[in-house]
Amino acid sequence: MSLVTLLPFIVLIGAMFLMTRSAKKKQQAAAAMRNEMQPGTGVRTIGGMYATVKEVGDETVLLEVAPGVHAVYAKNAIGAVLDDAEYNRIVHGDTEDELPAVPDDASSLTEACVAAEADAEAVDVKDGKDAKIDLGKKDEAEDAAEPKDGKADGGADAK
């Protein structure tokens, strides 16, 4: 057999080795992450639920999913162990930088516009100017009533 016929098999075996090696590294990293869980740590399950670790067993974890509500999960169901700052930001909405508060209703957002319009109307009234200007088109009926060339019947000049 020649080396040319064995080359595809060698490449295939090398690719399989590299894939299994990277998968094994990912599994080891996930196991190390799950082993660093301690009571009080915030976690996210593979289903997307955020909870606090209460107890860690050999194969299971007791999670507090809400105040006073506990559930037992398999360790393999833990998708990520979160640091305290990230867990508080996601679950409680805590941020280091305080963002401006958004009002519950839009009335406070329009107060400045209403005040500015009232001031503009007050200035127009003082100056004696009309606050409303009609920028609309004339009605089509008015346009039709006015002849363009001065002839009411629209006929031609007859001699």
Side-chain angles (χ1 to χ4, degrees):
M1 277 207 169
S2 67
L3 184 62
V4 174
T5 58
L6 292 176
L7 188 62
F9 294 112
I10 294 171
V11 170
L12 182 63
I13 292 171
M16 287 176 36
F17 173 75
L18 290 175
M19 286 190 293
T20 58
R21 185 173 154 210
S22 66
K24 189 174 182 179
K25 282 186 176 181
K26 288 180 183 178
Q27 287 176 350
Q28 288 176 344
M33 179 258 318
R34 290 183 186 113
N35 287 334
E36 73 181 31
M37 284 188 299
Q38 297 175 357
T41 306
V43 295
R44 182 183 65 237
T45 65
I46 57 174
M49 183 180 66
Y50 292 92
T52 304
V53 176
K54 288 297 178 183
E55 293 178 12
V56 179
D58 292 335
E59 296 294 321
T60 61
V61 179
L62 180 66
L63 299 178
E64 184 176 32
V65 295
V69 179
H70 296 87
V72 178
Y73 278 80
K75 272 190 176 180
N76 293 341
I78 304 301
V81 177
L82 308 172
D83 60 351
D84 290 337
E86 183 178 6
Y87 180 78
N88 288 332
R89 180 184 60 80
I90 294 170
V91 175
H92 303 296
D94 296 344
T95 58
E96 290 89 23
D97 302 332
E98 286 299 320
L99 300 173
V102 177
D104 291 337
D105 60 349
S107 63
S108 64
L109 299 175
T110 58
E111 288 174 359
C113 293
V114 171
E117 288 175 2
D119 289 343
E121 288 178 9
V123 169
D124 288 341
V125 170
K126 286 180 185 177
D127 293 342
K129 295 179 182 175
D130 186 14
K132 295 182 181 179
I133 299 173
D134 184 22
L135 297 177
K137 290 185 175 180
K138 291 183 180 179
D139 291 337
E140 291 180 16
E142 291 177 8
D143 288 343
E146 295 177 11
K148 294 182 181 176
D149 58 355
K151 298 178 183 173
D153 61 354
D157 290 334
K159 291 189 180 182

